[in-house]
Amino acid sequence: MQTPARRPTVAWLFFSPSGRAGRQVFILGWLFWMTLNCYAVASLALHQEDEDLFRLFSLLFFAGVTVSVASTVMMSVKRLHDMGLPGILVFVLFVPAVSFVMLFVLCLWPSASGPNAYGPAPDWPKS
């Protein structure tokens, strides 16, 4: 009996390095985390005088940044897999002079056609 294929979930998209992620899903994931982090920064700026709210939003900001960095690394690994490249290249995102170029490459480079070693199709976990 054949095992059923894994279905894509939000947890897979944000927190798993397995499978492939296409350009659209990758860009939307980055925009999601940028929006949440921008909200936290705006809330910090609006509540500077109120110590209790400032502490709360500071905690939310640092927790959000930590989770979003881990998530964007996982999404970037999947995006590299979709391009047919090894996930270890994700460390280029941590090189300051090259990171913006790498991000644009990840957003603009087309997916590898057909199945590859990392999964059957874009936006789908490896079974």
Side-chain angles (χ1 to χ4, degrees):
M1 185 170 170
Q2 196 175 33
T3 59
R6 292 177 50 195
R7 301 203 41 88
T9 62
V10 174
W12 165 79
L13 173 66
F14 288 135
F15 302 110
S16 171
S18 164
R20 298 169 59 181
R23 287 183 286 191
Q24 182 180 12
V25 169
F26 177 75
I27 292 168
L28 289 174
W30 266 86
L31 289 175
F32 171 77
W33 289 116
M34 285 177 61
T35 302
L36 286 180
N37 289 330
C38 287
Y39 173 76
V41 169
S43 297
L44 282 171
L46 288 174
H47 300 291
Q48 289 179 359
E49 290 81 27
D50 188 352
E51 265 188 52
D52 293 332
L53 280 176
F54 189 77
R55 282 191 201 132
L56 173 68
F57 283 117
S58 295
L59 179 66
L60 289 175
F61 171 73
F62 288 115
V65 165
T66 303
V67 171
S68 68
V69 166
S71 176
T72 54
V73 166
M74 293 298 126
M75 289 189 310
S76 299
V77 167
K78 285 193 286 289
R79 182 68 191 116
L80 287 165
H81 287 172
D82 188 49
M83 296 179 341
L85 299 170
I88 195 76
L89 291 176
V90 77
F91 290 111
V92 174
L93 285 172
F94 294 101
V95 178
V98 186
S99 61
F100 287 114
V101 174
M102 180 67 169
L103 182 59
F104 284 121
V105 167
L106 290 173
C107 290
L108 300 176
W109 198 272
S111 300
S113 60
N116 66 16
Y118 303 106
D123 306 327
W124 205 263
K126 188 174 181 178
S127 44

